[in-house]
Amino acid sequence: MNTTDNSHLQFAREYALDRDCTTLSRHVLQQLQSFAPEAQDLSAIMNRIALAAKLIARRLSRAGLMEGALGFTGGINVQGESVKKMDTYANEVFISVFEQSGLVSRLASEEMEHPYYISENRPTGRYTLLYDPIDGSSNVDINLNVGSIFAIRQQVGTDANATAEDLLQDGHKQLAAGYVLYGPSTMLVYSIGKGVHAFNLDPSLGEFILSAENVRIPDHGPVYSVNEGNFWQWDEAIRDFIRYVHRHEGYSARYSGALVGDIHRILFQGGVFLYPGTLKQPQGKLRLLYESAPLAFLLEQAGGRASTGSQNLLDVLPDKLHSRTPLIIGSKDNVAMVESFIEERAREREEKMVGRS
Ligand code: AHM
Ligand code: MG
């Protein structure tokens, strides 16, 4: 081939070779513009997460035909929730793919009371992986979309007592975060602080291939996504917001029971997802370190916002590994609108207090 002509480039473009060759690990290295050890580590970690996603996707796609894939284990997790067999399987998959990787020293997940230490990596692994192995697991038995959520943080302490206290830091400390959506196709969406990028699993290649680079969330969108069954459990301010969208044109409700799917829609089409506090659970249901904070990191990178209603979500300091926070996340105008209803009610309360004193 004549090395001075560009015919091979044209050929590659015509047959979409460039696109097909943009795999996840190559993309991470391109993003970091480096082959330094840190870049290689992050690329390798993303590659392992991709392997976990492929294993989980494979089992989900055949779950209805297999023994022991659907239903409950009979156990209750640290959250007090009944554990699904897929929760346990997916949790173990993440541990297995990182064991002997030399990449992370510990993993912490929704399904484990304490972090899992990979003993042989303790002196060398520089990172912690936080994850929710199956998000929305009530959807598994009815063959609807579910997800996995992940975040990578720098290992800071030696944490010999396994208290994980060094993990109790705000969401800005995340080095990378993302989710896997197991839907009609399996998608992986991630950010290492340089925009948000989406990959589709090409089953014929067994690789995640770049499908959308630098995804930007619309500033405003039509969707509001919330479990309205909790209406009378919420604070009046959230009810005000819901009454507002009921009375105004241009809003549509969408709620799948799996956060990852709902957020994915909002990321691409705009809108807001809410899981506010309830009377029974004032901090809501969603866990900060491996559900809300990774998604907040991702959506901020796409130009969106995440809030607890009174605080930027990425500023929240967890007080324990499985801390929960209310979550309002999505397009920045929609999130601001929900916050304005909350501020209005807070102002009213303050005025009443002043009036009384
Ligand atoms: P899970 O990780 O145990 O499945 O819980 C998280 C899920 C979210 O995906 C979803 O948005 C929410 O719980 C649904 O809860 P609810 O049934 O209370 O609306
Ligand atoms: Mg979850």
Side-chain angles (χ1 to χ4, degrees):
M1 188 189 293
N2 176 357
T3 51
T4 56
D5 81 25
N6 286 330
S7 56
H8 66 289
L9 289 178
Q10 202 182 332
F11 181 88
R13 256 177 237 126
E14 205 167 305
Y15 289 90
L17 274 178
D18 279 348
R19 200 210 56 209
D20 283 355
C21 289
T22 308
T23 58
L24 182 61
S25 45
R26 174 168 140 178
H27 194 262
V28 177
L29 290 172
Q30 277 173 356
Q31 286 267 299
L32 293 167
Q33 294 182 331
S34 157
F35 287 97
E38 289 76 32
Q40 301 274 10
D41 278 354
L42 272 185
S43 166
I45 292 173
M46 288 306 304
N47 221 14
R48 297 270 166 160
I49 293 171
L51 174 60
K54 286 182 238 177
L55 287 161
I56 295 166
R58 185 178 70 174
R59 192 166 181 90
L60 283 169
S61 71
R62 298 189 312 202
L65 303 170
M66 293 169 79
E67 288 292 319
L70 299 179
F72 293 94
T73 61
I76 304 284
N77 68 12
V78 59
Q79 328 281 343
E81 298 161 349
S82 300
V83 178
K84 287 247 146 106
K85 289 178 184 163
M86 269 310 295
D87 289 322
T88 306
Y89 173 81
N91 191 54
E92 293 294 324
V93 162
F94 274 93
I95 292 173
S96 293
V97 302
F98 278 97
E99 208 115 45
Q100 290 170 0
S101 67
L103 292 165
V104 305
S105 47
R106 64 182 168 186
L107 299 97
S109 95
E110 181 176 323
E111 301 303 329
M112 300 187 286
E113 187 169 0
H114 302 293
Y116 178 92
Y117 286 83
I118 300 179
S119 50
E120 70 270 22
N121 291 349
R122 223 182 254 221
T124 53
R126 289 195 292 269
Y127 305 97
T128 295
L129 181 77
L130 291 131
Y131 64 107
D132 179 1
I134 297 284
D135 166 66
S137 49
S138 72
N139 280 6
V140 168
D141 289 354
I142 47 166
N143 191 32
L144 291 182
N145 67 281
V146 289
S148 300
I149 306 173
F150 59 87
I152 303 164
R153 291 183 184 234
Q154 193 90 43
Q155 171 86 36
V156 283
T158 49
D159 192 27
N161 303 324
T163 53
E165 260 172 40
D166 63 304
L167 270 177
L168 306 183
Q169 301 198 31
D170 66 50
H172 300 286
K173 303 282 183 333
Q174 295 170 108
L175 296 176
Y179 60 76
V180 182
L181 171 62
Y182 308 99
S185 70
T186 300
M187 288 190 76
L188 190 153
V189 180
Y190 89 106
S191 176
I192 49 170
K194 292 172 184 289
V196 172
H197 315 288
F199 292 72
N200 278 60
L201 179 61
D202 181 333
S204 63
L205 294 172
E207 285 276 9
F208 281 99
I209 303 295
L210 181 68
S211 53
E213 202 166 25
N214 293 316
V215 179
R216 301 297 294 172
I217 181 172
D219 287 345
H220 179 86
V223 168
Y224 70 98
S225 185
V226 65
N227 184 347
E228 284 197 51
N230 292 333
F231 190 86
W232 293 107
Q233 295 276 313
W234 297 328
D235 187 84
E236 195 59 28
I238 303 296
R239 291 204 284 269
D240 289 344
F241 168 72
I242 295 300
R243 288 188 189 107
Y244 177 91
V245 294
H246 284 176
R247 287 177 189 145
H248 289 80
E249 272 186 30
Y251 292 97
S252 275
R254 294 284 184 274
Y255 192 74
S256 73
L259 175 65
V260 165
D262 292 326
I263 296 281
H264 188 72
R265 177 195 291 276
I266 287 167
L267 173 62
F268 281 85
Q269 299 178 347
V272 63
F273 175 97
L274 303 94
Y275 209 111
T278 59
L279 287 175
K280 276 192 215 131
Q281 285 189 312
Q283 293 306 307
K285 176 180 183 187
L286 301 174
R287 276 71 31 146
L288 180 63
L289 280 166
Y290 43 80
E291 290 179 321
S292 307
L295 295 171
F297 181 88
L298 201 72
L299 264 74
E300 280 209 3
Q301 281 292 317
R305 277 204 53 222
S307 164
T308 62
S310 56
Q311 192 180 9
N312 187 338
L313 200 118
L314 288 180
D315 294 338
V316 179
L317 278 173
D319 56 7
K320 54 180 188 291
L321 181 60
H322 299 288
S323 273
R324 299 171 196 253
T325 49
L327 177 65
I328 300 157
I329 185 169
S331 298
K332 58 183 186 190
D333 293 353
N334 298 62
V335 172
M337 184 193 275
V338 180
E339 285 175 328
S340 71
F341 283 99
I342 294 170
E343 280 156 21
E344 177 63 29
R345 284 286 173 178
R347 224 181 352 258
E348 276 176 24
R349 271 197 293 268
E350 229 167 77
E351 280 167 12
K352 262 189 209 152
M353 300 251 288
V354 172
R356 263 190 228 134
S357 61

